[in-house]
Amino acid sequence: MDNQYDLIIVGAGPSGLWAAEKAASAKLKVLVLDRKQEIGPPKRCAEGLGLGWFKRLGLKPNKEWAVQPIYGATLIAPSGKSIQMRTKKVAGYVLERKVFEKHLAIAAAKKGAKIIVKANVENCERKNGIVEVTVNEYTEIKKYTAPLIMAADGVDSRVARMLGKNTANKPYDMDSGFQYEMTNLNTKHYEEKDLNMYFGTEISPRGYLWIFPKRKATANVGIGISAMQEKTAKHYLDKFIEANPKIFENASIIEVNAGAIPVGGFLEDLTSDNLLVVGDAGHMTDPIHGGGIGIAMEGGAIAVETAIKAHKAKNYSHEFLQQFTKEWFERRGNQLKKRLKARLLLEKLSDADFNYLAESLTVEDCLKIAGGEMNGKEKIMLFGKKLMQRPGLIAILSKYL
Ligand SMILES: Cc1cc2nc3c(=O)[nH]c(=O)nc-3n(C[C@H](O)[C@H](O)[C@H](O)COP(=O)(O)OP(=O)(O)OC[C@H]3O[C@@H](n4cnc5c(N)ncnc54)[C@H](O)[C@@H]3O)c2cc1C
């Protein structure tokens, strides 16, 4: 009996842990399995989370894990010219994700979810309407069963595939991320209150390079580039560090992180019999900046709404579970699809276009963008209008706007 659950969640990242808390709160018997020996590390993340996500998810920033308040963004064009979009109020936080995830785990366990670490899911098999999960737990093979499995196992998800659902992403829709957490940076040469983002085809092809401040003189310094590039993300990051001694001359690396980021290629169906797929495993990330913490958590919570209905109806069929896909696209996925279009536009811009944009945006424009007066569409329109004035770009822009 102890090995039987209502819901088994594979993966104790933000999506799985948030879903576990919601499901356990609704009195589902929940098991969370993670192959890591500790919830949290190693992080594969720059740890930025916008204030909007705190509000949407009902999260209260806690100094233990919301370690650095952020007031805006500084975007740096290939020419070095920067555009600062800053507000007087806190616009988000850089997290200490290792601690954040432990907090999520504690909250889920408090509601009654059972969490097991060092538990690698090796197989999932349907048997008479129930799924049998084979787990290598501290080198011992154990079996657990549930009528419903949530694949929250991240970007290199295998769990959905174990149940016959192919969730693989095309290389074109993947970014390759690489990051150093660095300390003893020279704070005079980057904005300590902003997310610093560097653009340009030489600096970061089809992506951006970031300095996300974490503590005094300490930051996540990383890069996300198209996974189809010949040279590695590490190559571009090291080149940038070498080219900017003013910032990095006396710095030390205190952590190395690497990971893939799905940036498009949404899964049109997030379910099959006995299966819900969430978070990075379900390609739930923002195609423009690759952020996925908030989206993964929201996706996990939406999936739980369907899990609760399935539990009540004792119906775990693909047909029944499909309401999750519908809900997710209505509440988030369709908006992300529009953002994918904007990303495809950004991909077409040359370094000269980025430089032009940085030159042509006025301080007033930046204040409007940062001040919360504009919604996402209005911001894109503003950028679009500026670029429209640039010969050669009109054809590309009219296609996307
Ligand atoms: C370099 C980089 C920078 C990023 N920066 C940001 C950022 O600043 N802000 C932001 O919002 N997002 C960022 N992201 C994206 C963000 O990290 C992900 O979207 C987020 O972690 C997705 O959460 P998740 O719960 O879906 O998956 P994950 O956090 O990947 O968790 C999946 C879990 O599943 C476990 N697992 C996998 N397979 C098995 C198995 N077979 N058995 C048991 N356990 C298993 C793993 O151990 C892991 O703990 C970044 C990503 C990268 C790579």
Side-chain angles (χ1 to χ4, degrees):
M1 278 299 282
D2 267 342
N3 288 358
Q4 293 174 14
Y5 288 85
D6 297 324
L7 173 66
I8 296 179
I9 300 175
V10 185
S15 63
L17 292 169
W18 193 245
E21 193 206 324
K22 302 287 167 216
S25 300
K27 303 284 174 245
L28 262 59
K29 192 179 171 198
V30 183
L31 175 66
V32 184
L33 299 163
D34 202 293
R35 64 184 171 193
K36 296 194 294 202
Q37 66 182 38
E38 184 182 351
I39 300 283
K43 69 167 195 256
R44 292 196 290 185
C45 191
E47 305 176 287
L49 189 63
L51 200 66
W53 283 110
F54 282 82
K55 290 183 181 155
R56 251 166 254 143
L57 297 165
L59 268 179
K60 281 207 181 104
N62 171 329
K63 277 188 181 156
E64 280 185 44
W65 49 262
V67 291
Q68 176 72 49
I70 294 293
Y71 291 82
T74 294
L75 314 181
I76 302 105
S79 63
K81 165 106 178 135
S82 62
I83 311 170
Q84 190 175 43
M85 292 182 244
R86 186 184 277 178
T87 56
K88 286 192 179 126
K89 291 186 196 150
V90 172
Y93 290 87
V94 172
L95 311 181
E96 184 63 83
R97 240 185 93 159
K98 295 159 191 173
V99 183
F100 176 57
E101 283 177 32
K102 286 236 170 72
H103 275 248
L104 294 181
I106 291 164
K110 205 170 158 189
K111 294 286 180 194
K114 169 90 177 159
I115 301 168
I116 309 179
V117 292
K118 213 157 169 50
N120 183 36
V121 171
E122 294 189 338
N123 194 32
C124 294
E125 202 180 335
R126 289 184 189 91
K127 287 185 176 171
N128 303 320
I130 298 286
V131 180
E132 185 183 78
V133 179
T134 306
V135 185
N136 187 334
E137 216 176 294
Y138 299 91
T139 70
E140 199 183 323
I141 299 299
K142 293 207 177 163
K143 308 258 187 200
Y144 298 95
T145 59
L148 190 56
I149 304 297
M150 188 179 289
D153 52 336
V155 68
D156 27 48
S157 167
R158 281 171 46 242
V159 165
R161 264 172 270 179
M162 290 171 193
L163 289 169
K165 184 166 186 63
N166 185 3
T167 54
N169 220 333
K170 293 193 198 95
Y172 185 79
D173 293 319
M174 295 297 281
D175 268 7
S176 175
F178 192 82
Q179 177 178 270
Y180 299 123
E181 188 170 327
M182 298 183 86
T183 195
N184 205 29
L185 300 167
N186 188 335
T187 56
K188 281 192 198 129
H189 296 283
Y190 68 96
E191 293 295 336
E192 268 210 295
K193 289 186 171 177
D194 294 348
L195 300 182
N196 299 249
M197 296 151 107
Y198 298 80
F199 296 88
T201 50
E202 294 293 316
I203 292 172
S204 181
R206 198 194 77 175
Y208 63 97
L209 189 147
W210 62 80
I211 301 179
F212 285 8
K214 216 170 147 178
R215 294 186 178 81
K216 184 82 191 149
T218 303
N220 286 324
V221 182
I223 188 168
I225 59 166
S226 159
M228 291 172 70
Q229 289 297 317
E230 210 175 288
K231 296 205 169 103
T232 62
K234 181 180 183 300
H235 163 87
Y236 286 97
L237 184 60
D238 288 341
K239 198 167 94 173
F240 177 81
I241 290 171
E242 209 181 307
N244 288 279
K246 280 186 182 165
I247 308 175
F248 299 108
E249 201 168 38
N250 299 312
S252 287
I253 296 168
I254 54 173
E255 192 174 318
V256 181
N257 317 114
I261 312 162
V263 284
F266 295 105
L267 283 184
E268 291 302 328
D269 183 356
L270 296 158
T271 63
S272 73
D273 288 339
N274 314 93
L275 176 71
L276 301 162
V277 188
V278 301
D280 274 14
H283 310 180
M284 294 178 176
T285 48
D286 187 303
I288 294 186
H289 52 64
I293 302 171
I295 299 172
M297 290 168 71
E298 182 193 53
I302 297 173
V304 167
E305 290 172 18
T306 296
I308 294 166
K309 288 183 197 154
H311 179 69
K312 279 192 187 141
K314 297 279 166 275
N315 188 344
Y316 303 97
S317 67
H318 184 196
E319 198 188 356
F320 189 89
L321 298 178
Q322 266 177 336
Q323 53 189 290
F324 164 51
T325 305
K326 188 170 167 280
E327 278 297 317
W328 185 75
F329 274 98
E330 275 175 19
R331 291 198 228 165
R332 183 64 53 200
N334 290 334
Q335 184 209 16
L336 294 178
K337 276 187 170 177
K338 284 186 193 152
R339 289 176 66 78
L340 176 60
K341 273 193 170 184
R343 217 257 351 266
L344 295 172
L345 159 66
L346 287 172
E347 268 178 48
K348 305 247 173 324
L349 302 187
S350 66
D351 282 6
D353 299 329
F354 277 117
N355 291 338
Y356 172 82
L357 199 53
E359 290 296 339
S360 59
L361 281 173
T362 62
V363 174
E364 209 178 32
D365 292 332
C366 296
L367 285 175
K368 263 196 218 161
I369 294 169
E373 284 170 45
M374 292 178 142
N375 62 31
K377 192 177 171 192
E378 285 164 343
K379 285 179 199 172
I380 290 171
M381 291 302 280
L382 175 74
F383 282 110
K385 271 185 197 154
K386 295 281 171 190
L387 286 167
M388 278 284 192
Q389 290 152 16
R390 187 165 159 74
L393 277 174
I394 295 166
I396 298 175
L397 285 163
S398 39
K399 188 175 158 199
Y400 289 95
L401 293 174

